[in-house]
Amino acid sequence: MIELIGENVFHLHNDKISYVLAVMANGQLGHLYYGKSLGRLTANDVDYLRAQESDSAGTVKYSPELSDFNLADRAQEIPVYGSSDFRRGALDVYYHNEPWYLDFSYQSYTITDEKPRTLSQPATYVVGSDEAQQLAITLVDEEHRLKLVAHYTIFKAHGVIVRSHTLTNLGDQPVMIQNIMSATLELPDDDFEMVNLAGAWLKERHIKFHNLEQGTVSVESLKGASGHQHSPFVALMRSRNLTHGEVYASNLIYSGNFLSQVEVNEWHKTRLMTGISPAYFGWQLVPNDSFSTPEALFYYTTDGVNGLMAETQAVTQQQIADRQWQTRFRPIVFNNWEATYFNFDETKLLTLAQQAKQLGMECFVIDDGWFGHRDDDRTSLGDWRVDRRKFPNGIAHFSEQIHDLGLQMGLWFEPEMVSPDTPLYRDHPDWVVRHPYPRTSIGRGQYVLDFANPAVVEAIYAQIKPVITAAKIDFIKWDMNRNITEAYSPYLANKGLPQTEFFHRYILGVYDLYRRILTDFPDLLIEGCAGGGGRFDLGVLFYSPQMWPSDDSDAVERLSILSGTAVAYPLSAFSNHVSAVPNAQVGRKTPLTMRQNVCDFGPLGYELDITKLPADELAAIKQNIAFYQQHRELLVNGDFRQLGSIEPDANTVAWSVANSAKTELFVGFYRKLATPNSAILNHFKVPTVAADRNYRIDDGPVVSGQLLQSFGLREPYQFNGANAATAELRGDFQSHIYHLVAES
């Protein structure tokens, strides 16, 4: 998968992709190609690739010795600003406020096969020695006494290159890193639309399109988390076609402040960079110390949007998330939040649990309000002791009753926060993130704990671990409801470390708490949450195989959120809860059928007062749960693809999930609003079936896969004002799940 051509050209390739890099005339690393697999390259092939390098751009040359060499339009692996390249660079180092214009020359390389999964920081991993190869290229700036190792991973089965950097100070004085991107990708043209996933609380990760022109387009978070507003993921698409066309994309295995940026220069060359946001970042690198960036992923496909989805989902499930959750079933959760909010006690919860068990649910999760004296969201965070008013016999006794019902037991935590009325806050006011000036912000009546301080992480785990142990809990919902303001760490101040290290050290502290929990409780299922989808990223997914995608459980809004999320993240990560109507977030009334038909794709849950539902709705829930349990493996871990338009305002949405052999599929069809006097008969194409097979549709007709691909699947007859006798769906918020099974 990795071959050396000559002395200084590296070709990373598999059946899907080729990535070619080479040492340039100045000793730095240049980029020659990324795209469709080129097979095995010859020296002549490499010479032809190198002929694309121009020696005529710009008037400033790299050096007198290389009088025809210029970096202005050179495709580079690690571009650095200031030496004939005036675009934003991937690395900036300062010494006593003096910028260094870095010059890293190639020294050596190593190739390895092993990459075990470790919990210290999130990263890709392999099982065994035949899944991937890693290339590490060492470069040195002799004048500035810095060593840079560029890391590359290529997998045997995936169209993705994984990159990161490690910078080491070989000198005898500290230096300051002010920018260190995880990866750069140079492309030879700008004939793309940039796609990113944007939104806000209650409407996360909607698909957005941007035309590329000369200049810079970027997405960024400075909230201390990847954020509701943007995702680190960006894609460059030749077209919006679902099944055809080149797509490049990047994502970052990181949960803190990030920058993903696309820059087009005057020659229509495109530079994509991603990494930790340089804003409010600076890292003091002392002699002999190293700094490693988060890993970045560069995806490539020629198969359009669905080809990209195939890569992003497979890589995340197989090389990032813990693989045990591909074979262990995801429990059907009942969460008490929208059923009770803070108004509950042991008796009320046990009644809900008994009803949940009768309906077929499998895990009972107590959300916010079980600890301290938490009757609203302005108190008790950081006091992780059970509220004896609500649980007079303790949480362990209640958990035992839940387990005796045959249910798993889950608890909500918000471990990164503290309320002012707690012993933790009174005893350790210096453990709060805030600057030393009189005014400081407060959100939701709570402060952020200084997770840059290892003692804080240790103290929080010392509170949480006994609860996990005593209650023998199976499931944690980890929430984070307040972003960081006035970022300042008393711990860093006392250590004499720059405050610009805070944001990165904070997220490393979050990862350390995950590490502590999963080291002691490796089978625990942790569902990530951050005020809904405020930290839905690959860094959290490394530890939490499923995440709460949004606080908005409205079925119509979830169509947009899932359509966007699934471009970059697997269906198995998308936790769904069927909630009550009118919906608590938008006030919309949607049929139970549609709410369940949306939530059946991915890990399923319920969050409503099931003790107050009419008999027909209880029967429908029980029937849906039985259906889901029978087909859970496919609905969670199957190959998920879009069938309809990915335009954000589309009125109809269609998607499919298939097994790897394409012998069984479920197709979800959704129409948001009814259309008057509509066509009697409409079809939508299903490219995800096998053309050479025949499929039975909903225990009804048998048709060929070729017909389903070329002509399509019939939409349910919509009421159009004149077909009352034959209409299958009427009114707003229509849905149907088709079951397609290949005939033997």
Side-chain angles (χ1 to χ4, degrees):
M1 287 189 288
I2 299 176
E3 60 177 326
L4 180 65
I5 304 171
E7 295 183 355
N8 58 11
V9 178
F10 300 89
H11 181 201
L12 292 71
H13 64 100
N14 57 28
D15 291 340
K16 295 181 175 181
I17 58 171
S18 282
Y19 191 102
V20 186
L21 58 147
V23 179
M24 297 186 293
N26 66 342
Q28 296 179 10
L29 276 185
H31 178 81
L32 296 182
Y33 175 85
Y34 184 36
K36 190 173 181 179
S37 181
L38 300 174
R40 298 190 68 85
L41 293 177
T42 66
N44 288 338
D45 294 329
V46 172
D47 289 341
Y48 193 79
L49 284 173
R50 279 189 147 166
Q52 68 183 307
E53 297 179 338
S54 169
D55 292 322
S56 61
T59 58
V60 178
K61 304 306 177 182
Y62 177 76
S63 69
E65 294 77 21
L66 296 173
S67 58
D68 292 328
F69 187 84
N70 186 293
L71 290 172
D73 71 341
R74 295 287 175 129
Q76 303 163 65
E77 289 294 295
I78 312 158
V80 176
Y81 167 79
S83 296
S84 70
D85 185 351
F86 299 100
R87 288 173 287 174
R88 183 185 289 270
L91 183 60
D92 294 293
V93 174
Y94 280 63
Y95 175 69
H96 289 170
N97 294 321
E98 171 194 331
W100 279 355
Y101 300 106
L102 303 171
D103 192 352
F104 287 98
S105 296
Y106 170 76
Q107 295 288 310
S108 62
Y109 76 94
T110 61
I111 297 175
T112 57
D113 299 326
E114 304 290 337
K115 195 177 187 186
R117 177 180 170 87
T118 61
L119 294 175
S120 57
Q121 288 187 44
T124 57
Y125 69 95
V126 299
V127 177
S129 59
D130 61 347
E131 289 187 354
Q133 283 189 314
Q134 293 183 89
L135 171 66
I137 298 178
T138 298
L139 306 108
V140 174
D141 184 328
E142 296 285 359
E143 183 175 356
H144 296 111
R145 302 189 68 186
L146 294 172
K147 180 176 73 173
L148 183 68
V149 180
H151 304 277
Y152 300 80
T153 300
I154 183 169
F155 299 97
K156 181 182 293 185
H158 308 305
V160 69
I161 296 291
V162 181
R163 292 196 53 194
S164 64
H165 297 125
T166 299
L167 184 68
T168 302
N169 184 357
L170 303 178
D172 55 10
Q173 295 293 323
V175 298
M176 181 67 71
I177 305 171
Q178 294 199 346
N179 171 36
I180 181 165
M181 291 284 102
S182 292
T184 303
L185 178 62
E186 306 260 36
L187 297 171
D189 65 81
D190 62 352
D191 187 20
F192 301 101
E193 271 191 305
M194 187 186 113
V195 175
N196 70 297
L197 306 177
W201 178 61
L202 302 183
K203 55 177 185 179
E204 296 89 338
R205 290 175 307 285
H206 286 213
I207 296 172
K208 306 291 184 180
F209 298 94
H210 308 267
N211 291 324
L212 289 187
E213 302 285 350
Q214 184 177 342
T216 302
V217 181
S218 66
V219 291
E220 185 175 31
S221 176
L222 297 177
K223 305 180 76 172
S226 48
H228 297 84
Q229 288 71 24
H230 294 291
S231 165
F233 171 87
V234 297
L236 300 176
M237 296 182 177
R238 297 290 190 191
S239 74
R240 301 183 188 184
N241 192 287
L242 292 179
T243 56
H244 302 289
E246 276 194 317
V247 183
Y248 295 89
S250 72
N251 209 342
L252 196 62
I253 309 179
Y254 193 62
S255 309
N257 291 352
F258 73 87
L259 173 69
S260 294
Q261 173 182 293
V262 180
E263 183 177 2
V264 176
N265 71 2
E266 62 268 44
W267 299 295
H268 302 283
K269 308 292 187 183
T270 299
R271 174 177 288 176
L272 168 61
M273 293 200 303
T274 187
I276 297 171
S277 172
Y280 302 97
F281 170 82
W283 193 271
Q284 181 176 269
L285 196 63
V286 299
N288 300 313
D289 203 3
S290 298
F291 181 89
S292 293
T293 70
E295 285 190 335
L297 296 91
F298 285 144
Y299 303 95
Y300 176 79
T301 181
T302 58
D303 297 328
V305 175
N306 280 332
L308 174 62
M309 290 174 64
E311 297 299 338
T312 59
Q313 294 178 29
V315 171
T316 303
Q317 286 185 302
Q318 297 169 26
Q319 319 294 165
I320 298 176
D322 191 340
R323 281 193 205 178
Q324 70 167 310
W325 293 107
Q326 282 190 272
T327 55
R328 291 180 57 189
F329 76 86
R330 306 295 179 88
I332 300 170
V333 164
F334 179 84
N335 183 296
N336 75 298
W337 178 243
E338 289 194 22
T340 67
Y341 296 101
F342 293 104
N343 183 27
F344 62 82
D345 57 21
E346 181 174 317
T347 301
K348 182 182 287 189
L349 293 182
L350 195 58
T351 300
L352 286 166
Q354 291 166 341
Q355 178 74 292
K357 176 62 178 178
Q358 291 174 12
L359 295 174
M361 300 178 205
E362 299 159 339
C363 180
F364 189 83
V365 177
I366 306 174
D367 209 283
D368 195 357
W370 59 268
F371 55 93
H373 51 277
R374 180 95 163 164
D375 294 329
D376 57 44
D377 61 4
R378 296 298 187 268
T379 180
S380 301
L381 291 172
D383 185 6
W384 299 109
R385 296 174 296 177
V386 65
D387 185 346
R388 290 284 177 167
R389 299 171 304 152
K390 298 177 180 179
F391 298 95
N393 300 306
I395 198 71
H397 173 75
F398 179 78
S399 178
E400 183 178 355
Q401 294 179 86
I402 296 298
H403 285 134
D404 286 346
L405 286 172
L407 294 168
Q408 294 182 5
M409 169 71 178
L411 279 180
W412 179 96
F413 289 92
E414 192 171 0
E416 301 161 64
M417 303 292 156
V418 65
S419 301
D421 64 349
T422 58
L424 182 69
Y425 181 86
R426 291 193 297 270
D427 294 343
H428 300 282
D430 57 326
W431 283 6
V432 169
V433 177
R434 62 182 174 200
H435 58 64
Y437 311 119
R439 184 207 59 80
T440 189
S441 303
I442 187 166
R444 288 172 51 94
Q446 64 195 58
Y447 294 107
V448 182
L449 286 168
D450 183 5
F451 266 40
N453 183 348
V456 176
V457 178
E458 184 176 357
I460 291 300
Y461 187 52
Q463 285 196 53
I464 290 175
K465 182 178 179 179
V467 179
I468 300 173
T469 302
K472 299 179 181 178
I473 63 175
D474 309 281
F475 183 106
I476 283 179
K477 180 179 176 181
W478 177 323
D479 210 343
M480 190 276 287
N481 283 298
R482 186 206 192 279
N483 290 118
I484 295 169
T485 55
E486 292 98 14
Y488 184 94
S489 165
Y491 168 79
L492 294 180
N494 290 335
K495 290 287 185 180
L497 295 171
Q499 292 295 328
T500 52
E501 295 186 7
F502 167 75
F503 279 114
H504 185 60
R505 287 186 181 272
Y506 177 89
I507 208 65
L508 294 181
V510 172
Y511 294 152
D512 185 50
L513 183 54
Y514 267 114
R515 178 193 63 81
R516 291 169 183 264
I517 295 172
L518 291 174
T519 298
D520 290 338
F521 306 97
D523 297 328
L524 189 65
L525 175 57
I526 303 178
E527 179 174 282
C529 177
R535 203 159 60 188
F536 201 112
D537 55 65
L538 294 177
V540 171
L541 258 171
F542 179 84
Y543 302 101
S544 294
Q546 68 188 51
M547 296 192 286
W548 187 231
S550 178
D551 279 345
D552 193 338
S553 58
D554 170 58
V556 175
E557 174 55 31
R558 282 296 181 103
L559 293 174
S560 297
I561 296 174
L562 177 53
S563 293
T565 301
V567 174
Y569 305 96
L571 183 64
S572 59
F574 198 92
S575 179
N576 296 291
H577 288 183
V578 179
S579 60
V581 292
N583 176 263
Q585 293 79 45
V586 298
R588 188 165 16 231
K589 293 184 179 180
T590 54
L592 178 60
T593 298
M594 185 182 189
R595 283 175 274 151
Q596 294 195 127
N597 285 350
V598 172
C599 290
D600 282 341
F601 288 85
L604 175 64
Y606 288 81
E607 189 171 326
L608 70 172
D609 191 345
I610 51 178
T611 66
K612 296 180 179 178
L613 296 181
D616 61 332
E617 291 196 354
L618 291 173
I621 290 173
K622 187 170 185 177
Q623 181 180 11
N624 185 68
I625 287 174
F627 157 79
Y628 183 86
Q629 289 171 326
Q630 181 181 356
H631 301 289
R632 175 177 8 218
E633 172 60 26
L634 180 54
L635 291 166
V636 174
N637 292 316
D639 297 328
F640 185 76
R641 305 289 183 267
Q642 292 287 353
L643 304 183
S645 170
I646 60 170
E647 303 296 329
D649 297 325
N651 190 46
T652 59
V653 174
W655 55 48
S656 72
V657 63
N659 61 13
S660 58
K662 297 186 177 182
T663 57
E664 184 178 19
L665 301 89
F666 286 100
V667 175
F669 170 80
Y670 311 90
R671 181 180 287 111
K672 299 174 185 177
L673 299 178
T675 53
N677 198 18
S678 59
I680 298 298
L681 189 60
N682 290 310
H683 296 81
F684 59 96
K685 296 177 181 180
V686 187
T688 51
V689 298
D692 58 351
R693 289 183 176 272
N694 295 321
Y695 291 86
R696 186 173 296 278
I697 304 171
D698 289 344
D699 295 324
V702 177
V703 300
S704 70
Q706 185 66 59
L707 182 69
L708 291 170
Q709 286 187 354
S710 302
F711 180 71
L713 189 64
R714 178 181 69 81
E715 292 181 7
Y717 293 123
Q718 180 184 186
F719 177 67
N720 70 352
N723 63 338
T726 59
E728 296 168 296
L729 298 175
R730 66 167 60 205
D732 297 334
F733 316 130
Q734 304 167 14
S735 66
H736 181 72
I737 295 180
Y738 300 84
H739 190 196
L740 279 60
V741 179
E743 296 282 282
S744 57

